[in-house]
Amino acid sequence: MKILIAAALLLLTIAGIFAFKATQDKSLDLATSYVFEQPRALAPFTLADQYGNPFTNQSLQGKWSLFFIGYTACPDVCPTTLNKLAAAYPKLQKISDSFQVVFVSADPERDTQTKRLDYINFFNKEFKAVSAEHSALFPFSRDLGFVYAMVGEDSDYQVDHSASYVLVSPRGEKTAVFKTKPTPGQLPQILNSELINDVDQIVSNWR
């Protein structure tokens, strides 16, 4: 079952890459991201951040938002990614002083508000850690282009999830996606140098 889910995630990722390549802005020299030809506003959503405050479409207005999905019990991809984003954050803020990083927990049953607060504070206290019940979380994640699935039984389950980032503009529009690259002997990753380069170009050329 886990193999089938992993294969499905891989196929969705591959399909997404080809779809995004078709809409790539030729005027930008991007290393790891794909810009949507027609940015699209996210559907109305309501989640909660690590302080219990509502996180809605209004929370995106006037800010560049970089989204990543995962869960606090993730053994490898999530802590590695959040460490990398914490390291990149000062340079991302220089590109835009209204830049926010948003970690989306796909495990609302175990990732309580307190657990998300403790977890995200370990990496960067300025990051957001949001979640909601699956009834609200699933359509929101799908709207961003993320996928996730529970694997296993009882309390020992894991969560298979996307490893990409999604950039949302200050108008609350899904603007670009950042895809991981396979690295022999290592987890697929997005290099910080390429992330920063691409974000700089996208923000500078945004209308």
Side-chain angles (χ1 to χ4, degrees), residues 85-163:
L85 288 174
Y89 188 58
K91 291 185 178 180
L92 293 173
Q93 283 190 304
K94 288 183 179 180
I95 296 171
S96 172
D97 57 9
S98 60
F99 201 95
Q100 64 178 349
V101 173
V102 186
F103 170 70
V104 181
S105 169
D107 189 9
E109 291 187 10
R110 295 183 298 190
D111 287 353
T112 62
Q113 175 191 328
T114 300
K115 184 171 286 187
R116 283 185 279 116
L117 175 61
D118 291 342
Y119 185 73
I120 206 65
N121 280 353
F122 179 80
F123 299 100
N124 191 307
K125 293 182 178 181
E126 295 185 24
F127 288 3
K128 297 287 187 180
V130 304
S131 195
E133 295 299 322
H134 290 296
S135 57
L137 182 64
F138 182 75
F140 171 74
S141 302
R142 183 176 56 188
D143 201 19
L144 282 173
F146 294 141
V147 293
Y148 69 91
M150 276 52 185
V151 180
E153 300 178 355
D154 301 324
S155 60
D156 295 328
Y157 66 85
Q158 294 184 325
V159 184
D160 282 351
H161 58 86
S162 304

